Amino acid sequence: MSQMPPEHHFARRRVIALRHRGNVANKMIQYIGALAMSKRIEQCSVVGVSIPEWGIEIPDDTQSQIFLDNIDLWTWDAFRPHVGEICRLANRSESVRIMMADHLQRMEFLDLPQDYHSLFPYSSPERKIGEGDLLINIRTAEILQGIAHYPLLPIDFYEDVVASTGLNPVFVGQLGDSEYVRQLRSRFPKAVFYDSQGARADFDLIRSAKNIVVAVSTFSWLAAWLSQAQTIFLPLSGFYNPAHHREVDLLPIDDPRYRYFLFPLNYGVPEEQSLEYHRRISGRWKEISRNQVALLKTSAPFLRVPRENYDSGLPSRTAQGSAITFDSIWYAHRYIDAAMEISEGWFEDPLHHYLEVGRLRGYQPVRQFDGHPPIDLSMPNLALKKRATQSSLSQWSVGSTLEEDAGNAVNGNPAKALGFHTENIETPWWMVDLEEPSQVFAIRIFNRDRIPEWMQRRTSPIVVEGSNDGDLWKLIFSTEPGQIFGGYSAGMPLVWSSDLPVEARYVRISIPRKEYLHLSEVEIYGRQQRTIHGTGG
């Protein structure tokens, strides 16, 4: 290796600089992964670590230093870094900084759990978990609102594990008041319930158990992995399921402590919807072997993604810019056989299933908007070229003023890529002035065309209101949370109609949370008051 010219003053060191993300368990896994990488790089140190729960503070001292080589893992394939290649590159340089912002939630970054016991020492908890107990970790809190990668686990599953093991259930974790926890307490009236006592106390309590059912949580997973448990029950649900989140791999198939249970594809949705889905999938999970898990991790999907159905001509886990309006969450929860076939590794994701076999079975790609009478095509589009405005502008706005940008959504061209685009703010809105009080019989709203599903999902739920004075507003309709609609080419705009018209001069569309609001076109069909009065005279 050639020597560095002294006049450049490059730091002569190899270092991994962490950029922490997430909660304490995410930071711990990230540090563990960085340490595993540093072992493969000669004379490599790790900095930028802050895990006060275990008294670990390693400041980042590289900010004022200059490195000849910089490897930014945020700009690499962040979910599947090529560890061997990164280490070879680092070993070829005497001055290299690896900036690590990835979660590193893959088994390839982790050594044996006992290698980290001294790093994160165990403290015996005040509460005791016996040899005959089954510790069941519960996570609720924010996931009760619905977070896709973090679903609630069915209470029936806990009943199955308790019945098959004969162990005494001890529920530990976030046990605050909710319908899910109330049902849990009702179904297990003789069980012990230990509410959370804080991250460190809960972590040590989980580690103390000999039999553990983990929650869908990196915190729960890491505590169990670092424990001395005899048996760890791991549900392949949420991000644990390779079909749900292929970028994450926290399935230690070489660890004999683990028993794996494969679930139908299960997304985190609001509590009431979760409980309903749990009733529908009751008994559909099944225990699978470590060899089966390994196959799902490395070889699925077993069927090729149909190239011709993706705009890029290449197989992709998500159809970026597909003309198909498709709701992955609704589809998987509506068609349980599809959800199980995806989990079993036959298909890449719900869209792949739909394109391959769902269409043949008559399955729908999105929840249908039913129950509205057909639109009377003789009625005019009252919103056409009318004055409109909106809550804010963004860097993606087409117009340079609020009125100009909002007006693009009523120019009569629903096939355009974008009408208007607000900033990411609390309760963004768009409004059109119909110029006089009118009888509104129907509304058609076109989502942006050829955008991925996650971007379509921004408009869910959507609220449409009417007003005669711009101050007092009356709800015309709103969609259900999670309900999405499409753009012009997909042929699935949002359509509302009624035999009983709503009187309004102003029509406002909003999203009841912090979000971007962007649509292509809004059409409002009805009759203005002067037309009605003229006809009557």
Side-chain angles (χ1 to χ4, degrees), residues 251 253 260 288-300:
L251 306 177
I253 55 177
Y260 298 97
I288 62 175
S289 71
R290 292 199 297 273
N291 286 335
Q292 287 175 289
V293 175
L295 194 65
L296 293 176
K297 284 172 52 169
T298 60
S299 301

Side-chain angles (χ1 to χ4, degrees), residues 339-368:
M340 200 66 207
E341 289 167 350
I342 296 164
S343 285
E344 289 170 343
W346 290 105
F347 305 95
E348 176 81 8
D349 54 22
L351 178 58
H352 181 199
H353 185 281
Y354 172 74
L355 295 173
E356 189 78 28
V357 298
R359 294 182 297 181
L360 302 178
R361 297 176 184 175
Y363 295 172
Q364 297 298 316
V366 295
R367 181 180 355 184
Q368 301 299 297

